[in-house]
Amino acid sequence: MPDPTERLSAALANRYSIERELGAGGMATVYLAHDLKHDRPVALKVLRPELAQSLGPERFQREIRLAARLQHPHILTVHDSGEIPVEREGRPDGSPLLWFTMPYVEGESLRSRLLREKQLPLDETLRIVREAALALDYAHQHGVIHRDIKPENLLLTRDGSTLVADFGIARALLGGEAEGRTGGQTLTDTGLAIGTPAYMSPEQASGERQLDARTDIYALGSVLYEMLAGEAPYTGPTVQAVIAQRFKGEPPSVRRLRPNVPEAVDQAIRKALALVPADRYATAAEFARAIAAGTGSATSAAPAAVPAAPRRSFLHLLATRPLFATLIIGFALGLGLLFAWARNRHAGETAGPKLIAVLPFENLGDSADEYFADGITDEVRGKLATLPGLQVIAGSSAGEYKHSTKSPRQIAQELGVQYLLIGKIRWEKSGAGQNRVRVSPELVQITSGSAPTTKWQQPFDASLTDVFQVQADIAGRVAQALDLALGSSAQQQLAEKPTRNLAAYDAYLKGVEAASLGNNPVTVRQALGHLEQAVALDTSFAAAWGRLSQAASLLNGLSTPSPELKTQARTAADRALALAPDRPESHVALGDYYRRIDNDYERALREYTEGHRLAPSNADLLRGTALAEEALGRWEPALHHLEEAQRLDPRSALTANTLTGALHYMRRYPEALRAADRALDLAPGNLSNFEAKVMIHLSQGDLAGARAVLQTPPKGVEPTAVVAYIATYYDLFWLLSDEQRAVLVRLPPGQFDDDRGAWGLALAGAYAVRGDKARARAYADSARIALEGQLHETPGDAGLHVYYGTALAYLGHKQEAIDEGRKGVAIQPVSKDEANGTYLQHQLAWIYILVGEYDKALDQLEPLLRIPYYLSPGWLRVDPTFDPLRNNPRFQKLVAAGA
């Protein structure tokens, strides 16, 4: 059988003379040919056989004709096209060679130029990209999306012009009409990736078929970045790594690698590279105008400050705990109406709604798919929670029974329910793309005096694309088995799909699973990355936007406050609300933003109240309401809401933790200790619960009890993590044993989430209480440098000013330290924030002690003992940081008040 070149020459002998092969790429082989009819050189491209087979000649010709109609000075148009039948043993095999021709350009590709020079001059770069953008805008207006913009497809002619090549080819290969020829698969499903990973938009990389002009804008922005920086914006050792990089944060700044690039150009690139299409330029013409603004004089950029995480007070930490941290994936968030469970423990004995718990479905597949089983469980739970006549136990309580060996009766008794929905899931993956989900749910009824009975059971076997229908069917069959009458509205809610994009759904599940692993910066960043990917894949995914907002708000509190996180949190919350204004989770997201970032507790309460109207028994909304009320000094209503949340969600460690904090601040120590023990029973590895118990002993003046707890840290938690946590939060470095202090002083900043501010202050305090002033000053100076950078980024953050003042106080800069401390307290005073302002005022008192202004320190301390806060006469007696005040009569009076 002749080789392709010989076959091509023979078939086109009367039209083209094939001179030589110019090169081969992922989609086609390119030949230099001579157009015999018009006596001109042309570039003749022949698609790879496997692409030609998947595409078919009819679709190919239709798209090529569309591309051929594009007549623009910066577009390399199509001259001609056709197909060549291929025969084997005298019979056509149905896979013709598909070819087309374009003008042969004297010059070179942009890729060739970059290989030679790596970085191009700024003015020439902007000219090339503007010309390409104008070509794209023209094509977009004529309904053609390129889909494969890269340096190889930008041709630089000898006369200095730019030409965009290969219009319509990627569209032909990915177009929706081709689906009928491939059984509903895109070519990427068959392993043939169309597009180039370094330049693909996130939506294209995920396999989205419905791409618009903004995918080309993203690709052109990537090319512009590479021309200026000498490398693509996202790099990695594998295709998957390259694609994953773009979901990990904000678009990179080209000024990191080339500081003289004008700010206007840098901003234009970053907007073009936005993860979500809606955040990019609407048209290529807008992009062209934006980069035209960068043709003026270039300016250099100052190096960015390194962010770090400040210390947080007890209730400030609680305020930054995510409402979604104990949820796995509930799209509805209205997870239960259990206000009467204490009166309805025995099934069928009293009238009222039926009580049910959806236990975590058992994963029978790969252990790596555990998150998928959890997601299915919570989606079914969320759908059941919307049904009238049914009360569903919250997911955080039901989730405690994952892999439990307890009997169904014991679980039902502990949760106070009449029914349990249990199940098994297997996600069967096929290399051919025919993934299936097998779910075997069982509804178990628990009655007094008899064994548990199966009320309903039915296996489901469906393709992965039908997973949402399976969830709805399970919820519907449970409702039918429980004799619940469903109106049209309830039926519509059951059928509602959170997203139509399975890749987005998968990323969402991974994000919520990461969030469930703990409230620390590492896991929250992982969750944030997955959720960013989910909304990039489906920009209308309301639940994902809500969770994304919550993750950003939380991370802003757990680590260094940053303008980027604040903007991301607000933008995501606004989108969630715009997409789903009648969903309670949208109001949770916006409420969390106001509470955690803006410290606007009245507005937060309004959002929570609206969410509560939509989901009256949602424990998470009640918890958020309580935290906002605490900040407003409404402690009794807050306590009432927390107790109600605990009744609704009795196995929630987060609710127990929040209730512990409220009781502690209200100085109800015996109740607070019981709540702390309950929180530790539910989550023994949670360091916040662990430290809360230590602090309650200190508030009672029980130093021995506090140290006894501290010497028995949670099982499974690294000792270094315990030491770093205790030394950072609530400034308990003085409580560490000699052995623990020895561990502390050896810890690197990485143990503090790379926060040199928190690390420096913790070590400065540890050395100060040992009387080593030289080392205390050295580490305080490290903290000072880091905190200066953080304040440059977020100058309005009250906590940063106070921490900065503390560092200055260690260094002996008296007036500057006092000024910074006062500034922080003025930004967030106790009168506006009784939960967090108290801690800031406490820190100002510490600054006064460090600089020798003892009466002024007492001016700050005395009011704190008259309002809810963890300081108490007992605490003052045992805390050595107050030793300089011990001979002061005013301090002695404070201590004596608790005798």
Side-chain angles (χ1 to χ4, degrees):
M1 183 174 172
D3 67 29
T5 304
E6 293 175 357
R7 201 161 61 241
L8 190 66
S9 296
L12 299 177
N14 63 334
R15 299 172 63 182
Y16 296 98
S17 171
I18 308 299
E19 298 184 4
R20 60 185 172 89
E21 182 179 318
L22 293 174
M27 293 194 301
T29 301
V30 187
Y31 299 90
L32 173 61
H34 191 77
D35 182 347
L36 299 175
K37 181 178 180 180
H38 301 98
D39 190 24
R40 61 185 178 185
V42 294
L44 190 149
K45 290 195 173 186
V46 182
L47 294 189
R48 287 171 50 185
E50 57 268 41
L51 297 185
Q53 182 179 11
S54 297
L55 180 61
E58 182 179 346
R59 174 71 180 173
F60 172 74
Q61 289 295 342
R62 187 159 53 249
E63 296 299 338
I64 286 295
R65 283 196 295 270
L66 182 61
R69 290 199 291 268
L70 298 177
Q71 300 295 320
H72 187 275
H74 295 296
I75 291 178
L76 191 66
T77 190
V78 174
H79 280 334
D80 194 6
S81 63
E83 58 186 272
I84 302 172
V86 177
E87 296 185 359
R88 290 194 176 100
E89 298 178 356
R91 294 175 301 170
D93 71 350
S95 303
L97 294 178
L98 302 178
W99 60 269
F100 63 99
T101 62
M102 302 180 300
Y104 175 71
V105 176
E106 292 189 3
E108 63 181 343
S109 70
L110 176 60
R111 171 61 68 210
S112 297
R113 178 79 179 278
L114 288 173
L115 287 174
R116 188 172 66 253
E117 299 182 21
K118 193 173 182 180
Q119 292 181 333
L120 302 191
L122 176 63
D123 290 345
E124 185 178 7
T125 294
L126 298 182
R127 177 188 59 76
I128 291 170
V129 173
R130 283 199 305 274
E131 291 177 355
L134 294 175
L136 288 174
D137 187 62
Y138 171 86
H140 296 161
Q141 292 181 39
H142 288 77
V144 180
I145 311 300
H146 194 289
R147 305 180 187 215
D148 195 22
I149 291 295
K150 56 186 177 182
E152 288 80 353
N153 284 332
L154 296 181
L155 307 181
L156 309 178
T157 68
R158 286 187 177 178
D159 64 2
S161 184
T162 305
L163 295 174
V164 182
D166 279 4
F167 267 104
I169 307 308
R171 171 190 165 93
L173 295 171
L174 288 174
E177 294 178 42
E179 294 171 25
R181 304 184 59 85
T182 60
Q185 291 180 304
T186 64
L187 296 183
T188 51
D189 293 327
T190 68
L192 300 172
I194 307 304
T196 306
Y199 312 99
M200 280 185 187
S201 66
E203 61 271 23
Q204 184 175 359
S206 70
E208 279 287 320
R209 298 183 179 95
Q210 300 301 317
L211 302 177
D212 61 22
R214 293 169 294 187
T215 197
D216 284 346
I217 294 171
Y218 183 99
L220 189 58
S222 299
V223 172
L224 173 54
Y225 182 100
E226 182 173 356
M227 293 167 72
L228 294 172
E231 63 181 41
Y234 301 105
T235 58
T238 65
V239 170
Q240 292 79 8
V242 172
I243 292 173
Q245 280 292 322
R246 69 200 64 201
F247 295 108
K248 292 186 176 179
E250 293 295 317
S253 169
V254 74
R255 287 159 66 94
R256 294 181 302 111
L257 300 176
R258 194 164 171 179
N260 67 327
V261 172
E263 181 66 27
V265 174
D266 185 52
Q267 291 300 318
I269 295 173
R270 298 183 75 177
K271 184 170 182 177
L273 294 179
L275 195 66
V276 179
D279 290 338
R280 299 176 207 147
Y281 294 101
T283 67
E286 287 184 22
F287 184 34
R289 287 193 292 270
I291 59 176
T295 56
S297 60
T299 58
S300 60
V306 178
R311 299 169 292 166
R312 288 292 182 263
S313 70
F314 185 63
L315 283 189
H316 197 151
L317 276 183
L318 294 179
T320 58
R321 296 301 185 207
L323 294 185
F324 69 98
T326 57
L327 296 176
I328 309 293
I329 181 187
F331 292 106
L333 281 178
L335 300 177
L337 299 168
L338 294 173
F339 60 89
W341 75 248
R343 300 193 305 272
N344 292 303
R345 296 180 63 86
H346 302 291
E349 295 181 2
T350 59
K354 295 179 172 65
L355 304 175
I356 186 173
V358 182
L359 301 187
F361 287 5
E362 181 183 356
N363 173 38
L364 299 181
D366 192 313
S367 60
D369 298 335
E370 194 79 17
Y371 74 94
F372 183 79
D374 291 338
I376 299 295
T377 303
D378 274 346
E379 179 62 14
V380 171
R381 181 185 295 117
K383 288 185 177 297
L384 290 174
T386 66
L387 302 182
L390 192 64
Q391 295 178 356
V392 185
I393 196 76
S396 50
S397 287
E400 291 293 318
Y401 297 95
K402 189 173 186 177
H403 307 307
S404 175
T405 58
K406 294 180 179 179
S407 68
R409 179 175 297 281
Q410 185 178 358
I411 294 173
Q413 288 175 344
E414 290 181 1
L415 292 176
V417 298
Q418 303 157 302
Y419 299 93
L420 298 175
L421 181 63
I422 60 178
K424 299 178 180 180
I425 293 180
R426 183 184 297 277
W427 181 6
E428 297 184 348
K429 302 175 183 179
S430 168
Q434 300 298 319
N435 295 344
R436 301 194 68 77
V437 178
R438 304 182 190 276
V439 187
S440 300
E442 180 183 0
L443 180 64
V444 179
Q445 184 175 12
I446 313 296
T447 56
S448 299
S450 61
T453 58
T454 297
K455 184 79 171 174
W456 165 80
Q457 185 176 21
Q458 178 183 338
F460 292 83
D461 185 344
S463 66
L464 184 60
T465 56
D466 293 328
V467 65
F468 300 125
Q469 186 60 49
V470 170
Q471 295 164 354
D473 288 345
I474 292 173
R477 300 297 175 84
V478 169
Q480 186 178 17
L482 296 178
D483 298 322
L484 299 177
L486 302 183
S488 58
S489 176
Q491 293 176 3
Q492 182 178 355
Q493 285 180 313
L494 287 184
E496 189 176 86
K497 297 181 179 180
T499 176
R500 296 184 180 276
N501 187 308
L502 287 175
Y505 183 57
D506 186 64
Y508 176 81
L509 296 184
K510 289 177 180 177
V512 184
E513 193 258 352
S516 73
L517 297 178
N519 303 330
N520 60 76
V522 175
T523 56
V524 176
R525 285 194 186 95
Q526 292 173 350
L528 193 65
H530 289 304
L531 293 166
E532 287 172 338
Q533 183 178 3
V535 298
L537 296 173
D538 180 2
T539 58
S540 63
F541 196 165
W545 280 115
R547 295 295 181 88
L548 174 61
S549 174
Q550 289 178 285
S553 293
L554 170 67
L555 188 59
N556 189 75
L558 287 178
S559 60
T560 305
S562 75
E564 292 79 16
L565 282 173
K566 293 177 181 180
T567 300
Q568 185 178 37
R570 180 56 191 265
T571 300
D574 286 343
R575 288 189 176 170
L577 195 62
L579 290 166
D582 294 329
R583 304 297 293 182
E585 59 264 36
S586 302
H587 296 281
V588 168
L590 191 54
D592 282 4
Y593 169 82
Y594 285 132
R595 177 170 59 85
R596 292 176 178 149
I597 292 181
D598 275 4
N599 300 321
D600 190 337
Y601 303 109
E602 290 288 2
R603 294 185 73 177
L605 268 182
R606 288 200 291 272
E607 291 300 328
Y608 292 139
T609 299
E610 179 60 20
H612 192 262
R613 182 187 67 80
L614 297 167
S617 297
N618 185 307
D620 301 298
L621 280 165
L622 289 169
R623 190 165 50 246
T625 297
L627 288 168
E629 288 172 329
E630 288 171 357
L632 293 168
R634 304 170 191 172
W635 290 89
E636 288 297 338
L639 187 61
H640 169 75
H641 284 124
L642 287 172
E643 290 170 342
E644 185 179 354
Q646 189 170 65
R647 287 195 298 272
L648 295 169
D649 198 359
R651 304 287 299 175
S652 169
L654 182 58
T655 299
N657 179 280
T658 311
L659 180 60
T660 299
L663 291 168
H664 183 194
Y665 267 47
M666 295 172 76
R667 301 188 176 91
R668 294 164 61 164
Y669 301 129
E671 295 171 78
L673 272 177
R674 288 195 293 272
D677 285 335
R678 177 178 178 80
L680 283 169
D681 286 341
L682 294 170
N686 187 299
L687 286 175
S688 178
N689 296 335
F690 173 71
E691 191 172 39
K693 187 171 182 178
V694 171
M695 293 177 66
I696 295 167
H697 281 288
L698 290 175
S699 293
Q700 294 177 294
D702 182 6
L703 182 60
R707 284 186 167 148
V709 174
L710 189 57
Q711 293 308 309
T712 56
K715 292 182 179 180
V717 180
E718 288 291 330
T720 53
V722 175
V723 169
Y725 194 94
I726 294 294
T728 303
Y729 298 105
Y730 320 120
D731 318 297
L732 297 184
F733 44 80
W734 58 269
L735 190 62
L736 297 174
S737 66
D738 289 340
E739 293 79 10
Q740 289 172 322
R741 285 180 187 172
V743 171
L744 173 63
V745 298
R746 293 196 301 268
L747 293 181
Q751 195 72 44
F752 297 77
D753 192 38
D754 287 324
D755 173 0
R756 300 187 71 87
W759 167 75
L761 285 176
L763 269 66
Y767 279 116
V769 295
R770 295 169 63 180
D772 191 339
K773 294 184 178 180
R775 284 191 173 90
R777 285 195 297 269
Y779 284 104
D781 196 51
S782 296
R784 174 191 63 79
I785 294 170
L787 290 164
E788 281 178 350
Q790 295 171 31
L791 277 169
H792 178 74
E793 292 292 318
T794 53
D797 187 274
L800 288 179
H801 283 287
V802 171
Y803 310 141
Y804 184 45
T806 305
L808 292 172
Y810 279 122
L811 291 168
H813 303 319
K814 179 176 180 177
Q815 193 55 50
E816 293 174 76
I818 292 172
D819 290 345
E820 288 295 327
R822 285 175 172 171
K823 188 179 297 183
V825 169
I827 292 172
Q828 202 167 347
V830 172
S831 60
K832 293 183 179 179
D833 186 347
E834 200 164 298
N836 304 303
T838 43
Y839 176 78
L840 299 178
Q841 188 167 315
H842 178 179
Q843 291 303 296
L844 178 57
W846 175 230
I847 290 171
Y848 279 128
I849 292 172
L850 287 173
V851 300
E853 293 284 354
Y854 301 144
D855 280 326
K856 291 181 179 178
L858 286 163
D859 290 341
Q860 303 299 318
L861 286 175
E862 287 171 341
L864 295 179
L865 272 70
R866 295 194 294 266
I867 60 177
Y869 188 49
Y870 69 78
L871 282 186
S872 66
W875 187 298
L876 297 181
R877 282 199 303 272
V878 299
D879 186 344
T881 62
F882 294 109
D883 284 352
L885 304 180
R886 300 220 178 267
N887 294 326
N888 190 298
R890 292 172 62 189
F891 184 80
Q892 293 171 349
K893 183 177 179 181
L894 288 178
V895 172

